[in-house]
Amino acid sequence: MSDDVILRVSDLSTRFFTTDGQVNAVESLSLEIKAGEVFGIVGESGSGKSVTARSLIRLIESPGRITEGSIEYRDADLADDLREDHPGAVDGEFVDLLAIPEQTHRGLRGTAFSMIFQDPESSFNPSLTVGEQIAEAVEVQRRASSNPRSTRARTRSSAYSLRSYAAAAVLPGRGYVSAESKDRAIELLQQVGIPDPEQRVDEYPHEYSGGMLQRAMVAQALAGEPDVLVADEPTTALDVTIQAQVLNLLREIQAETGMTILLITHNLGVIARMCDRVGVMYAGEIVERGSLGDVFDRPTHPYTQGLLGSIPDLDAAGGRLQPIGGNVPSLLDAEMGDRCYFADRCPKAMEECLHKPPDYPAAGTDDHEAKCYLADHPYDKSQALPEEYFEEGEGT
Amino acid sequence: MRLTRFLLRRTAQGILVVWGVITLVFLLRFITPGSTIDFVAPLDASPELRQRLAEDLGLNKPIYVQYADYIVNLLQLDMGNSLLKGRPASDVIFARLPATLELAIAATIVAILFSIPLGVISATRRHQPVDYGATGFSLIGISTPNFWLGIMLILIVGVNLGWLPTSRRIIGFGPALELLVFEQRPVGLRVWFEHILLPSITLGTYFTALITRLTRNGMLEELGEAYVEVTRAKGLPETLVKYKHVLRNTMIPIITVLGLQMGTLIGGAVITESVFNWPGLGTLIIDAINSRDWPLIQGSLIVIGVGFVVINIVVDALYMYFNPQVTFE
Amino acid sequence: MNWQRVWRSLRAEFGRSPMAKLGVVLILAVFLMAIFAPFLATTNPKAQDLSRANEPPVGFTDITEDTRLVDGERQTVTVTTRGTLEYPLGTNQLGQDMYSRLLYGARTSLLVGLLGTTIAALAGVSVGMVAGYYGGRVDDGLMRFADVMLAFPALVLAIALIGLLGPRAVDIPDPFVAAGLVSDMPETTVLPVTVTFVVALVNWVWFARVARGEALSVREKNYVKASRSLGASDWRLMLKHVLPNSLTPILVLATVQVAVIILLESALSFLGFSGTTLSWGFDISQGRDLLATSWWISTMPGLAIVVTVIGINLVGDWLRDALDPDIEGESGGGMG
Ligand SMILES: Nc1ncnc2c1ncn2[C@@H]1O[C@H](COP(=O)(O)OP(=O)(O)OP(=O)(O)O)[C@@H](O)[C@H]1O
Ligand code: SF4
Ligand SMILES: [Mg+2]
């Protein structure tokens, strides 16, 4: 495993401007992912994991918007290509994915990074065959690499006019997907362990079982041979034995290709089995991050402690997140206030926690950090809030 | 294969429905007040003549015999002689059929040509002036009675501006095409086009409006589906996301509604014909009803019923083509 | 069925949607026109004044050429007619006041629309509920019959039925005139009975389909199965569980059907298959031959139809957006 950072997210904020008010789904989130590692993000439902994943691929749609921050991706060739036209987006070997045009970004999707989604059943178009949809992903990559690594060419190959589409509808053999891509789709299906791939390639999503669809989705995500794979709860919708199979599959593929995986889940067991490093997400923030050993064996943040404390034996409990006392926090801007977002549920909340949100320690040099005052100085009982505070705050 | 099986099944069903139609049409005569013979016989006919006529037409036989005769004759495409024209009703009907078909097809083409692009543009430019324009147009379009629209078109385009003829057909599409091909004279086609333009706009507007609305709303709904995000995430060009994936799936609800609205198309054709004096089945059926020309009434109702069943089979086949999940079991 | 929730989502959607408000305003206006027609009308809509025939609406001037005998000689004279406030929307070829006819036409349209929809809904919902609830052969039989009905385009079937049965109408006394509140107005409002029944007959199938679908799904619910096994009677179950569950989609469908039936009625009147002469469709047909000279005769009643149907469609959209039922056969029908 190399220690090079491949993805550097700084101060990312994604907001939804709904009729109920502004929702801060992701708030000043920072993290670094190293090439070839499996980085896990764990957090309760609604903590902003999926929004983070979609922000990384720039798939946030109205009423949502990425309001701040940068997502830097390391690719020396790409950086060289873009340096002239978009000097602001390039920093050394890094390219800020939020600062490049949509067309250029689309050229990177599927090839530089791709994504596995939460729910396999709704992630395939019901009226096209699974093979066709995987072959599309292959084709995207094929067209991009036939113009090797030049951004302009990538941009061009990712454009496809309505006229070409209309022609394809009328003229045989002029469709977007080529025969080679179709063959590659069969190989991919085989690779992810789908039996009878030659036959299955022409079947529709409703003819697949949930587990097979998830495998097919892995195949589709791998089609473009991406450098970074974002897997958003790849196993949540599956039953336990199939979960294990899909996770093994991901591990094998990662071992083979050395690709980087960002694995999102609310299952601590999955994190423990798969990840090298972990970020714990709460209310749109990464509240604790570090190596798997640091975070799981020596949790600093009371939230992480709560998560882990409630599961004596990760594997035995199936690793599901146990509810911690108190309400899931509101992400409505108006209700968030200027304090530690966990304070309402934190058993160790102190006076200072109510006045200013904590940040990572200023002098945080080592890899293990937590957004909590306790990371700076040890818990001091005399600082604790009066009993009444906890009676009110907890257990609702 | 799936399609063949489906078509066979559906044709069998269709034949049953057609049989129902035929029976219902037969019964129609018996709910009508007044004896049929009153309409057939001249006013001053002697009782003997009336008797003879009734025998000739088989009106004295028991109902079930009349019904059997009627079915047997129909199977031989014999619908009886039109009382009005003195010719076989089937001849009269089939002579009028092309005019109606031309009108319906022209209207459908008008509708599809304008509505789907308009709906797509409207959905992709949501909350922009084009979208408001298209939405307003489709609301007005589905709320306007087409006979009145036809009259307004006649008033403005025909009477006030004098641009286009406002009634009759003059030449059919077939003859016009022959004129062009064999004699190199495009004038026939021009005359045909000038005459069919206003009627087909009249008949097509409601459908244009309806399909625009369905396309827009369907696309907006479909764009919110999870798979759309997935196709974008894999880097597929936006054209393909919008057309190959989203629009294609939008066709499914559009076709469903269109199938249910085909009756409206035929009903609309009847009234459009009457506005423009278009010599089709619609004007024929109204004349036939007004003069109690039974063979003609029955014949045209049956032809319309059969046409409707056929259209619906086509629509279902299309539906099936766009929606692989349907098995019709 | 949670009526409070229905009410709340209706109110929320109403507040959000300017179009819903427009629809309600339009419909209210048409209703008021129809109900208070005798007070709003300026002239008896049936009264003829041939000396004032074909006058244009107020603000318009009509110039025609006429051939007259002057001193035993034929001469062409130019006649200029100015519209007056006495006949704000002009007059037709019989010198009848178009404005007053418009008001009374609203009565016919709404009467047929509402009554026709009610009959269609009652018939369709009963048939559909029975078919869906019992399933099996009853269902098959009723649905095949529905297929045959659907194989006739509504307008064609309606024309055939009315043409053959002959249009019949009954006179309903006008309460305002009977109470002596207004004079000089028609003493009765004509309800075209045949037309009303025929439009119901050709439209009940839509209701049957919706009710059947709902009944099919409710039948499988556990609480229904349980009450059935406890010996609750079929009718009770249908009235208590199936019907309330079908009400939202039926309400949305009914709204749209009012528009469909109003359009159908106007088409039938236009073709001359009506039971009354006080109808928008009839007036449109009257103006048809006079387009070159008196455009207003056809134009005004047509606009009235469009406005009414837009209003109903907007209300239909509002209900659909707020209640979100999943039905087919919606989208209210520009040509009947
Ligand atoms: N399209 C949207 N519009 C408004 N708010 C949204 C939208 N998408 C997400 N959110 C808000 O963002 C927050 C985070 O949602 P997200 O889907 O990222 O949660 P998650 O951590 O992935 O949860 P889960 O484990 O349930 O998938 C939620 O509070 C949600 O209400
Ligand atoms: S900052 Fe305070 S309230 Fe927040 S987690 Fe740490 S101790 Fe608890
Ligand atoms: Mg999620």
Side-chain angles (χ1 to χ4, degrees):
Chain A
M1 186 202 301
S2 114
D3 245 14
D4 304 328
V5 171
I6 188 167
L7 205 60
R8 190 164 69 200
V9 180
S10 328
D11 290 325
L12 179 72
S13 292
T14 303
R15 311 214 150 113
F16 291 91
F17 301 91
T18 68
T19 43
D20 298 335
Q22 174 183 331
V23 180
N24 299 339
V26 174
E27 179 71 15
S28 266
L29 180 141
S30 302
L31 54 87
E32 287 185 344
I33 300 178
K34 293 170 188 162
E37 75 171 341
V38 179
F39 189 97
I41 291 185
V42 64
E44 297 172 302
S45 190
S47 54
K49 303 184 299 291
S50 295
V51 174
T52 305
R54 273 161 33 216
S55 303
L56 293 181
I57 314 223
R58 259 176 69 170
L59 284 177
I60 301 292
E61 295 219 332
S62 170
R65 194 148 47 81
I66 298 177
T67 51
E68 261 168 77
S70 61
I71 299 170
E72 288 168 300
Y73 168 65
R74 206 193 53 180
D75 182 332
D77 297 336
L78 185 66
D80 285 342
D81 264 354
L82 291 171
R83 193 161 284 123
E84 211 172 289
D85 291 349
H86 306 283
V90 179
D91 174 14
E93 292 195 344
F94 283 92
V95 175
D96 182 0
L97 298 176
L98 297 181
I100 59 178
E102 173 66 20
Q103 272 295 329
T104 314
H105 192 271
R106 192 174 299 135
L108 297 172
R109 284 183 208 150
T111 58
F113 32 77
S114 64
M115 184 156 168
I116 299 178
F117 289 81
Q118 204 161 346
D119 177 12
E121 319 254 323
S122 63
S123 295
F124 281 95
N125 181 344
S127 44
L128 294 177
T129 62
V130 174
E132 171 86 11
Q133 298 184 56
I134 296 175
E136 281 179 348
V138 179
E139 187 70 29
V140 168
Q141 152 80 0
R142 213 179 61 87
R143 291 187 184 223
S145 58
S146 65
N147 308 300
R149 294 258 151 186
S150 136
T151 321
R152 284 206 196 90
R154 271 186 185 211
T155 305
R156 209 176 316 125
S157 73
S158 76
Y160 188 76
S161 70
L162 185 56
R163 207 193 296 151
S164 333
Y165 180 59
V170 191
L171 308 171
R174 287 277 305 274
Y176 178 74
V177 170
S178 62
E180 298 98 84
S181 300
K182 202 74 181 279
D183 292 342
R184 176 82 182 118
I186 299 179
E187 280 172 38
L188 282 163
L189 283 177
Q190 177 135 38
Q191 196 185 339
V192 298
I194 297 220
D196 299 327
E198 281 90 2
Q199 188 200 326
R200 287 291 186 174
V201 76
D202 289 325
E203 287 183 4
Y204 290 92
H206 70 270
E207 295 169 282
Y208 276 55
S209 70
M212 286 204 317
L213 268 186
Q214 192 61 302
R215 283 163 181 272
M217 183 131 70
V218 174
Q220 175 171 279
L222 295 177
E225 294 164 17
D227 300 333
V228 180
L229 176 70
V230 180
D232 185 4
E233 316 225 18
T235 58
T236 308
L238 308 176
D239 62 49
V240 184
T241 45
I242 299 175
Q243 277 187 20
Q245 290 173 10
V246 171
L247 289 177
N248 285 339
L249 175 70
L250 280 177
R251 260 246 283 267
E252 280 166 30
I253 289 165
Q254 202 248 350
E256 231 172 83
T257 60
M259 86 177 128
T260 312
I261 298 182
L262 176 63
L263 181 66
I264 293 173
T265 178
H266 52 231
N267 186 318
L268 290 168
V270 170
I271 295 278
R273 273 182 59 181
M274 299 283 296
C275 299
D276 304 306
R277 293 195 307 135
V278 194
V280 177
M281 199 156 179
Y282 185 81
E285 294 180 318
I286 300 273
V287 291
E288 179 160 8
R289 61 190 182 200
S291 70
L292 181 69
D294 281 344
V295 174
F296 270 43
D297 298 340
R298 294 171 289 282
T300 312
H301 198 286
Y303 177 64
T304 319
Q305 290 168 352
L307 285 183
L308 293 162
S310 51
I311 309 167
D313 178 353
L314 283 179
D315 283 336
R320 290 267 157 191
L321 274 196
Q322 302 297 314
I324 301 178
N327 290 321
V328 179
S330 160
L331 296 180
L332 276 176
D333 188 57
E335 292 170 15
M336 289 184 77
D338 209 14
R339 63 218 300 258
C340 171
Y341 305 141
F342 189 55
D344 282 348
R345 301 161 76 187
C346 180
K348 297 181 179 170
M350 300 165 289
E351 191 59 38
E352 57 188 322
C353 308
L354 301 182
H355 299 307
K356 197 166 101 57
D359 205 342
Y360 296 118
T365 40
D366 71 63
D367 225 15
H368 185 197
E369 294 175 321
K371 260 191 191 178
C372 171
Y373 290 115
L374 293 176
D376 268 345
H377 45 77
Y379 185 49
D380 175 1
K381 261 233 145 81
S382 64
Q383 286 280 307
L385 286 165
E387 292 280 315
E388 303 90 79
Y389 177 82
F390 297 100
E391 275 159 23
E392 240 179 276
E394 260 183 52
T396 18
Chain B
M1 210 195 69
R2 193 172 67 115
L3 205 61
T4 328
R5 245 203 356 253
F6 158 73
L7 282 178
L8 284 176
R9 243 187 117 77
R10 203 62 184 69
T11 310
Q13 265 175 26
I15 289 174
L16 257 169
V17 173
V18 167
W19 174 65
V21 167
I22 288 173
T23 308
L24 214 67
V25 166
F26 174 78
L27 293 176
L28 213 51
R29 208 172 75 203
F30 297 92
I31 62 160
T32 309
S35 152
T36 312
I37 197 71
D38 291 339
F39 294 101
V40 183
L43 280 178
D44 52 358
S46 63
E48 294 79 41
L49 180 62
R50 289 173 62 101
Q51 181 67 24
R52 258 225 333 273
L53 267 172
E55 261 165 38
D56 276 358
L57 294 169
L59 295 174
N60 292 341
K61 298 182 191 161
I63 285 196
Y64 60 89
V65 179
Q66 286 191 40
Y67 181 64
D69 285 351
Y70 163 81
I71 297 273
V72 169
N73 287 337
L74 269 182
L75 287 177
Q76 299 161 350
L77 276 186
D78 176 4
M79 299 168 176
N81 267 337
S82 161
L83 310 178
L84 211 62
K85 320 251 169 179
R87 285 188 290 144
S90 50
D91 288 1
V92 180
I93 292 167
F94 288 115
R96 292 283 194 108
L97 198 54
T100 300
L101 285 181
E102 272 171 26
L103 180 58
I105 292 172
T108 311
I109 292 175
V110 168
I112 291 175
L113 231 51
F114 288 101
S115 62
I116 292 185
L118 194 58
V120 171
I121 292 171
S122 185
T124 49
R125 314 243 162 99
R126 209 176 168 193
H127 299 317
Q128 290 178 24
V130 200
D131 182 27
Y132 291 124
T135 315
F137 157 76
S138 48
L139 177 65
I140 297 173
I142 62 165
S143 307
T144 304
N146 75 334
F147 59 90
W148 183 70
L149 175 67
I151 287 177
M152 289 298 109
L153 286 176
I154 291 177
L155 175 64
I156 296 166
V157 184
V159 176
N160 285 357
L161 300 174
W163 286 348
L164 288 169
T166 57
S167 77
R168 310 240 308 284
R169 181 160 165 259
I170 309 286
I171 187 166
F173 181 69
L177 204 61
E178 279 171 23
L179 214 59
L180 179 70
V181 173
F182 296 117
E183 298 181 31
Q184 282 76 46
R185 290 175 54 199
V187 58
L189 221 49
R190 209 195 71 219
V191 170
W192 172 82
F193 181 75
E194 283 174 356
H195 279 84
I196 205 169
L197 192 59
L198 289 186
S200 54
I201 292 176
T202 302
L203 182 55
T205 297
Y206 169 71
F207 282 91
T208 313
L210 180 68
I211 303 175
T212 304
R213 195 176 156 104
L214 291 171
T215 309
R216 173 182 182 273
N217 296 349
M219 285 231 5
L220 285 179
E221 200 161 296
E222 201 66 26
L223 279 168
E225 294 288 319
Y227 75 83
V228 177
E229 193 172 48
V230 179
T231 47
R232 287 194 175 131
K234 67 188 181 192
L236 203 66
E238 192 60 21
T239 316
L240 289 173
V241 176
K242 289 244 165 67
Y243 293 90
K244 182 174 171 183
H245 287 265
V246 173
L247 183 59
R248 192 193 152 96
N249 284 356
T250 307
M251 294 312 290
I252 296 171
I254 294 180
I255 291 170
T256 312
V257 176
L258 276 192
L260 293 165
Q261 292 282 333
M262 277 299 137
T264 316
L265 178 69
I266 297 176
V270 170
I271 199 160
T272 305
E273 287 180 8
S274 136
V275 171
F276 288 92
N277 285 325
W278 192 256
L281 269 188
T283 38
L284 182 69
I285 204 171
I286 291 175
D287 290 347
I289 287 172
N290 281 332
S291 54
R292 294 290 195 281
D293 188 340
W294 273 110
L296 216 47
I297 296 176
Q298 291 178 336
S300 14
L301 283 180
I302 291 170
V303 168
I304 288 178
V306 171
F308 194 50
V309 169
V310 171
I311 293 177
N312 268 310
I313 294 179
V314 174
V315 169
D316 282 354
L318 270 178
Y319 180 74
M320 181 126 161
Y321 169 76
F322 278 104
N323 189 359
Q325 272 166 281
V326 177
T327 47
F328 286 96
E329 284 317 319
Chain C
M1 172 113 313
N2 184 340
W3 287 112
Q4 237 169 340
R5 227 187 58 218
V6 167
W7 180 238
R8 224 177 312 123
S9 52
L10 278 178
R11 275 228 322 248
E13 181 65 31
F14 187 78
R16 215 173 306 147
S17 155
M19 282 311 193
K21 294 185 187 103
L22 177 62
V24 169
V25 167
L26 290 181
I27 289 193
L28 272 181
V30 177
F31 262 92
L32 292 178
M33 268 170 58
I35 295 171
F36 297 110
F39 300 101
L40 299 171
T42 47
T43 318
N44 186 325
K46 290 182 175 169
Q48 303 180 1
D49 182 354
L50 287 173
S51 67
R52 308 282 305 264
N54 295 333
E55 285 191 12
V58 63
F60 289 89
T61 305
D62 189 42
I63 301 165
T64 46
E65 296 196 332
D66 203 359
T67 316
R68 289 198 186 153
L69 278 180
V70 180
D71 302 331
E73 248 181 87
R74 275 164 181 272
Q75 279 190 1
T76 307
V77 288
T78 310
V79 187
T80 307
T81 328
R82 243 176 271 281
T84 62
L85 254 181
E86 192 184 351
Y87 300 124
L89 298 182
T91 60
N92 63 11
Q93 64 273 44
L94 297 175
Q96 293 168 323
D97 178 27
M98 290 307 294
Y99 164 70
S100 304
R101 293 183 66 79
L102 204 73
L103 295 172
Y104 274 86
R107 283 192 159 189
T108 309
S109 283
L110 289 186
L111 261 179
V112 175
L114 294 176
L115 207 60
T117 305
T118 310
I119 299 172
L122 286 177
V125 171
S126 321
V127 171
M129 241 169 39
V130 168
Y133 185 83
Y134 289 105
R137 225 173 263 167
V138 182
D139 187 27
D140 279 351
L142 285 172
M143 285 304 114
R144 284 296 87 77
F145 179 61
D147 282 349
V148 174
M149 291 291 296
L150 279 178
F152 290 104
L155 182 68
V156 176
L157 188 56
I159 291 174
L161 287 172
I162 299 174
L164 298 173
L165 293 171
R168 230 162 284 179
V170 293
D171 292 335
I172 306 170
D174 186 322
F176 299 123
V177 179
L181 294 176
V182 275
S183 53
D184 288 344
M185 288 294 153
E187 277 160 28
T188 56
T189 303
V190 179
L191 171 69
V193 189
T194 324
V195 173
T196 307
F197 273 95
V198 165
V199 292
L201 185 70
V202 297
N203 278 306
W204 67 272
V205 184
W206 303 113
F207 289 96
R209 288 169 78 122
V210 172
R212 172 177 176 268
E214 296 291 330
L216 271 177
S217 66
V218 172
R219 189 173 61 143
E220 298 306 322
K221 297 254 165 70
N222 280 332
Y223 59 88
V224 175
K225 282 186 180 163
S227 350
R228 188 154 29 168
S229 67
L230 289 177
S233 81
D234 289 344
W235 278 112
R236 238 184 86 88
L237 280 177
M238 273 194 250
L239 288 182
K240 215 172 139 213
H241 296 298
V242 183
L243 189 62
N245 267 296
S246 333
L247 278 183
T248 12
I250 287 171
L251 185 68
V252 175
L253 178 64
T255 312
V256 179
Q257 283 290 317
V258 174
V260 171
I261 288 182
I262 286 179
L263 287 166
L264 191 54
E265 187 277 332
S266 71
L268 289 168
S269 312
F270 173 77
L271 291 174
F273 296 106
S274 167
T276 171
T277 54
L278 269 182
S279 155
W280 291 336
F282 180 82
D283 278 352
I284 294 176
S285 75
Q286 293 301 296
R288 186 181 165 185
D289 300 325
L290 298 166
L291 281 183
T293 51
S294 315
W295 53 268
W296 53 92
I297 303 179
S298 282
T299 308
M300 297 304 171
L303 285 176
I305 299 177
V306 175
V307 168
T308 309
V309 175
I310 285 183
I312 299 174
N313 279 331
L314 286 177
V315 169
D317 287 349
W318 164 42
L319 297 183
R320 184 168 31 231
D321 291 345
L323 308 176
D324 193 28
D326 196 17
I327 53 169
E328 45 182 28
E330 40 176 339
S331 272
M335 43 182 91

